[in-house]
Each structure stands twice: as C-alpha cells, then as structure tokens.
Amino acid sequence: MRKMMTAHVLNLPTNSNATTLVSCVSTTASSSALSPLSYSLLSTNQMDGSILLYPSPGRGHLASMVELGKHILDHHHSFSVTVLLLSTPPPDTHLIDAVSATHPSMTFHHLPAISLPNSDHLSSSPANFILSTFEIVRLHNPTLHENLVSLSKSSAVKAFVIDFFCNAAFGVSASLNIPTYYYFTSGASGLASFLYIPALQVKYPESFKDLNVPIQIPGFPPVSPRDMPMAISNRKLEVYSYFLETAVQMAKSTGLIVNTFDSFEASTLKALRDGLCVPDGATPPTYCVGPLVATGGGTKDGDERQECLVWLDSQPSRSVLFLSFGSMGVFSTRQLKEMAVGLERTEVRFLWVVRVPPPHDEARRMLAELEPRVHSFLPEGFVDRTRGRGMIVESWAPQVEVLSHGSVGGFVTHCGWNSVLEAVCHGVPMLAWPLYAEHKLNRVYLVEEMKLALSVTESEEDDGLVSAGELEERVNELMRSEKGRAIRDRVQAKQEAATAALSEGGSSLSALAELIRSIKARSSEVDVPDLVTSSLGVGGDLGSASTVTIST
C-alpha cells in the first residue's frame, strides 16, 4: 500500500509579493499513485479544516507549540496544521528542520520581515526580553492580519491557537471571527497565577515587591512576594500592563490549552475549573493535553554533543547528577566557582552544562579572548581533579536523551516547564534552582505542593548567590538521603501517571478529543472586512479585541 499525501496550495501575502506554499497535511492509504494534478485537486471536504498555531519567540515556546501540533496530527488526521513563525527574531531553524523531517504534514510559514523601532527598546537582554516579546508580536499584527485572511481563502480556518506572549494577536483573530485558543506552555499552576492577576490587583493595592505578607492564589501554597515573577512585581513597569491585559483577554478566549495532565496539578486545576481564578467572570474551558515533551533525536554541533551520552554509558545506574539551566541560563564567574567547589566536595558524579558568563561579568571583561572557553571561569585544576567522575559540556547538551539515560539519578534545573515535564516523564528527581520568568512560582508548586523536588536557598544579602556549602548539602540530600529517595519514588509515580494520561482512554487524550470536538463545532466562516482600523495608535495595528473597529 502506498501512502497518499494530501496537499493544499496556500497563496500567502508577503506585504507586496505573494508566496506560494505547498504543504502536505495528511496521509491516507492508497493503492495507486496520484498524478501531480491530484495533489492540488483533492477535495477539501474530506478535511475538517486547518488549525493555525502562533508561537512566541524563544526555543522553549516554539518547541512546546510544535509538540502540540504534532500531537494533534498524530491523533486527528483530518486537520491540517500550520505554524506561523515570527520573522523577528529568527526562529530556530535546527528545530524546524528536524520536525519537518519527521512530520512533513506540518507546515511552517514565516511571516514577512518587519521594521523595528529603536533597538535599545526592543532589546534581547534578559531585563527587556519579555517586554520585547510582547512588542514584537504586536508589531507583526498587520502582516498577521493579511495572512489570516489569505489562509482563510485556501482552507477553512477552524481555530487559531496563540501563545501567552502572542496576546496582541487576539484582536486580529477576533476581528476576523476566528475562534481563538490560548496555549499556555507552562503548567496549570502558572496559568492560575496569571489569570488571577486582575483579582490580585484589587486584593493588594501595592506592588508585589513592596509586600511583606504571603500572597494567596487559589489552588496554590502561600507565595512569598520575592517568588513572584519580576515582570509583574512592579506595577509601575510597562511590562506589568501587558500581563494584566493578557490575563483579561485570556478569560475571554474560546478555550485554554495547558501542557499538563489532570492528576499532576490537581489542586490548581480544581481551583481553575471551579472559577476561583477568574472571580468576576466565566473561566473558559481548560484542556489539559500534556505532558507534551520532545522525544529527542536532535543533536547540535555533532560529535562533541554526543560525547556526553557515550560518557554516561560508562557510569553506574542512577549515579550521575545532571545540571542544566535552559537556553538563557548564565551565571557569574563567582557563582560558577561556588558551584564547582560544591560539586567537587560532594564526590558525586556529574554532567554539567556550562555557559560562559554574560559580557558584563568582571572576570570575562578582563580576558583578552573574544570567545573564551568555559574552563577559564572555573577553579584552577577543577577539570583535572574531577576527571572521570565529572564531565563539562559547553553551552548545550541533548537534554531529553540525557534525562532518559539510566545513569542519571538527579537533575539540577532552572524549573522551566519543559524541563520539569521532561524530568517527570523520565522519573528523575529534581533540585530546583529557578533563575527567571515564572520559574520561582514553579519551584513553589514543585517543592511545597507536589514534593517532587528539593530547593537550593539563595542568599538574600549576596545578590542571590548559592554558596558551595549550600549546593553540597542539597546535592547530597537529593542523591544520598532517605528524603531524596522519597522524592524519587513520588516522581516515578508521576511518571506512570503521565504515561497513563497519554494512553488510550487517559485524561489527556480525552481532553484532546474534547478540544477537537469544540473546534469542529465552531463556525469556519471568517469575516473579511474591507477596512480594519484600531484605536491603539499604530496604523493597521490590531492589538486588542475590545478596541478593534470593523468597517465594511
């Protein structure tokens, strides 16, 4: 039996020039080959329409959204899936190429390049990255509108699924009457806290950074003000208003898709579904379709990255501590040296992904090398003294493959949600060391509610430094104590629950089926106005569903 690839020809505008894009959208069995003409003439009434995915910049967000698309295609073949990619900043081509090779029925469409204002404002530095992300998405709205209109002429657009940071696009899809779902790439606990921002603004008149009492969030343990994300801790910052508006808009959406599973975050999901997180209105349907994690298979820069897996092959079962802190995880030279000293003292086997310190780091500025190696920032002789029981990998390691390896017995993580789910799916206990974004909230839930991790303690007086002694104690506790073994047992129980959730009849596959029923039930008629204007001050910029005016 040959496989017949169903194809659509999509004519997508690129501001002034049209781009013709051919995409394979499903596979069915066929006993005879198709003529070339057949690919463009297959009846679209055999399809249920198209689902458009709109991820925000950042590898973790793109990877998670892509996993959602693959999940839909694997279980519901009658839909086509197109991923709309922002042109600025450039997306991860390595990831896109890898997915295109394994899932050719998923289309990737690059939105046309846009002109950016002052680059100092739209900075990719950690301090401004979140604000930049919201702004870049907003600036893409005019070209997004053009492409949504064009796509709707080629196929029935049944749903538009947007990332949390793509909130500005909600106004565009709402103006075209396209049902819009938010995909929250973090967990239900993070979703609950963000949906609750409008209520927190009423409940606490001060900025979170100025509070000295625990913050109460439905379904959540009490949260210290210092564990609230930096972006929402100060109400005077511009980025706070973006989060506030996003929380309001999410509550107006068709539905919320979450990368979690029902039994993983039970207390928070109960609060969400009881309507406690949106006390002044209705909470949209919540679909827990996870855990959606990459299956691995991608390598970067060839042999050096594979060397760590070969090294793991020679280590005893569950003996290795893996340390990795996400795509933006960098430390000062001082912190790296404290970590090295702590690891050396434990005598625990380790695999450590290390990046050079940021450009403003004093020790880095003193080096003459333009591209220094990480060894320059570690204690003298550290690599030689730990050779055999420890391995340093520069910048990147194949994390999924590492966590799935039988030699790995613990994971020091920044608590990014993808990393948390990958650890759970492979039964690896965690040591939580959050660095940015909502990761401190994730730590609170992981450590205090679910008890799937231990936590390092940062020094409040010393700029958040984790001392060598603190790391040594926590590592020994995770890898060698009864408390660590109890955490391992709980993580492995959640691993089994995750497998069950994604099995036939499991909660996540049932939620996906419910989501698909919701999408099929929605109108596929897209309203295409002759003129669209907005009150947001930028010509053609559609930024908020409540401020869009349609004139036909």
Side-chain angles (χ1 to χ4, degrees), residues 108-149:
F108 291 89
H109 172 65
H110 297 256
L111 292 180
I114 60 170
S115 298
L116 295 178
N118 190 331
S119 60
D120 291 337
H121 179 56
L122 294 180
S123 168
S124 60
S125 68
N128 294 322
F129 181 79
I130 296 175
L131 178 61
S132 299
T133 300
F134 278 118
E135 281 286 278
I136 288 170
V137 171
R138 183 182 64 82
L139 291 169
H140 276 84
N141 274 356
T143 57
L144 172 67
H145 179 267
E146 292 177 19
N147 282 280
L148 289 180
V149 170

Side-chain angles (χ1 to χ4, degrees), residues 4 87 110-111 122 148 152 167 209 283 339 372 380 394 471 490 493 498 523:
M4 176 177 73
S87 56
H110 297 256
L111 292 180
L122 294 180
L148 289 180
S152 69
N167 177 63
K209 70 179 183 64
T283 303
M339 295 165 76
E380 187 175 353
E394 291 201 32
L471 182 60
R490 284 191 288 271
S523 169

